[in-house]
Amino acid sequence: MAQSEIEAVRALLSSKPRPVGWPDRRQRLDDVGSVWPAADDVKFAAVDVSGLLGEYSVVPGSDPSRILMFFHGGGYCSGSILSHRRMASEAGRAAGIRTLAVAYRLAPEYPFPAAYDDALTAWRFLQNQGISAAHIAIGGDSAGAGLAMALINRLRDAHEELPACAWLVSPWTDLTMSGSTLASKDAVDPIIHKGYLNELADAYLPAGIDRKDPRISPLYADFRSFPPILIQVGSAETLLDDATRLAAVAGAADVPTTLEIWPHMIHAWHLWNAHLEPGRRALVSAGAFIRRHLGTLSG
């Protein structure tokens, strides 16, 4: 069943090839990410996150005092609250908590450090709402997962309180593009290819910046004292090596790290959880991880 379901997602993606311009690319990700809308029982509320657009989501019975702060993927150049609404809201359901999805600024209009700074703005917003760090999980997929790790690194370096845990889906952690699976998985990945990643990085990064800067490529960060991390990645991803190397580096720094490699799954497969059973199971696993570290009895 899972095989036929993932083939249906592959067919969806191939039916909507990636266009050239940024506006059309953003529309395409909104279209393929939200082809199945959020569940009827989810309540959404728009919120001004200190000048950024944000959206709370909650389902009946969830604990509103605990938060999953979620950063969407899209290579720092696309993606939105809409494209990831189903994924973010179902993650909150699985964890039994509220989610806050954040619409950080996108390149090339707003290159680095705009998104990096917006992640800190969102964190400060929750702190100002009286939400303690111990009651916040940070999550994201792809570039959003990179932002989550960059934010934790920034907080740790500033000797500030850290979130309870981090949930990373198909993380893009190395903008030098040195991962071996960029080549070895190229034929099976329907979404992410090295040339495309280079295009995104060129749009996001100022000329001359060191792409090993941990604010950009968290693979090269010092992970000491980081909170527990759950990494979920598909076996059919060119970014598989970004995930496995991140797990190794974090684990070597004594960070409690869980790596899940899901057979046959593609980049950020959780997006299509409405009709993809491994997407739902991955969210259940993530929800259990988040509940454990936030100390909530919900779910």
Side-chain angles (χ1 to χ4, degrees), residues 4 69 73 94 107 115 117 125 127 160 165 180 206-207 210 217 223 238 240-241 245 257 263 283 295:
S4 62
M69 185 166 68
D117 289 340
F125 169 80
Q127 299 277 279
E160 298 189 28
C165 60
S180 64
D210 181 3
S217 296
F223 286 90
T238 56
L240 175 60
D241 204 37
R245 288 183 296 159
T257 304
L283 288 169

Side-chain angles (χ1 to χ4, degrees), residues 148-154 156-157 162-163 218 221-229 250 253-256:
M149 294 301 282
L151 171 61
I152 295 170
N153 191 54
R154 187 174 195 171
R156 192 276 318 277
D157 286 352
L162 302 180
D222 174 1
F223 286 90
R224 285 176 293 180
S225 304
F226 269 45
I229 298 169
D254 299 314
V255 177

Side-chain angles (χ1 to χ4, degrees), residues 61-257:
S62 290
D63 183 349
S65 72
R66 287 163 169 80
I67 301 283
L68 167 64
M69 185 166 68
F70 185 84
F71 299 118
H72 65 76
Y76 301 105
C77 296
S78 59
S80 68
I81 288 172
L82 173 61
S83 65
H84 285 66
R85 183 174 281 153
R86 172 93 194 190
M87 178 179 176
S89 59
E90 290 303 309
R93 182 197 304 277
I97 59 176
R98 259 195 311 170
T99 65
L100 173 63
V102 179
Y104 54 88
R105 289 171 292 173
L106 299 176
E109 296 92 336
Y110 299 99
F112 175 85
Y116 177 74
D117 289 340
D118 289 350
L120 182 63
T121 295
W123 175 260
R124 295 267 187 268
F125 169 80
L126 285 181
Q127 299 277 279
N128 292 337
Q129 297 295 305
I131 309 293
S132 73
H135 290 171
I136 303 172
I138 297 183
D141 69 297
S142 196
L147 270 186
M149 294 301 282
L151 171 61
I152 295 170
N153 191 54
R154 187 174 195 171
L155 295 172
R156 192 276 318 277
D157 286 352
H159 306 289
E160 298 189 28
E161 287 188 291
L162 302 180
C165 60
W167 167 50
L168 312 177
V169 173
S170 304
W172 188 21
T173 64
D174 178 15
L175 272 66
T176 73
M177 270 65 87
S178 66
S180 64
T181 50
L182 285 172
S184 63
K185 295 290 183 177
D186 185 72
V188 295
D189 190 323
I191 303 175
I192 306 297
H193 305 284
K194 189 172 183 177
Y196 174 57
L197 292 177
N198 278 318
E199 188 179 355
L200 295 172
D202 287 344
Y204 176 53
L205 299 176
I209 196 165
D210 181 3
R211 294 193 177 188
K212 285 190 175 181
D213 186 320
R215 298 174 300 167
I216 293 163
S217 296
L219 178 65
Y220 302 101
D222 174 1
F223 286 90
R224 285 176 293 180
S225 304
F226 269 45
I229 298 169
L230 170 64
I231 303 169
Q232 296 180 316
V233 66
S235 68
E237 293 200 49
T238 56
L239 289 179
L240 175 60
D241 204 37
D242 278 39
T244 57
R245 288 183 296 159
L246 183 73
V249 172
D254 299 314
V255 177
T257 304

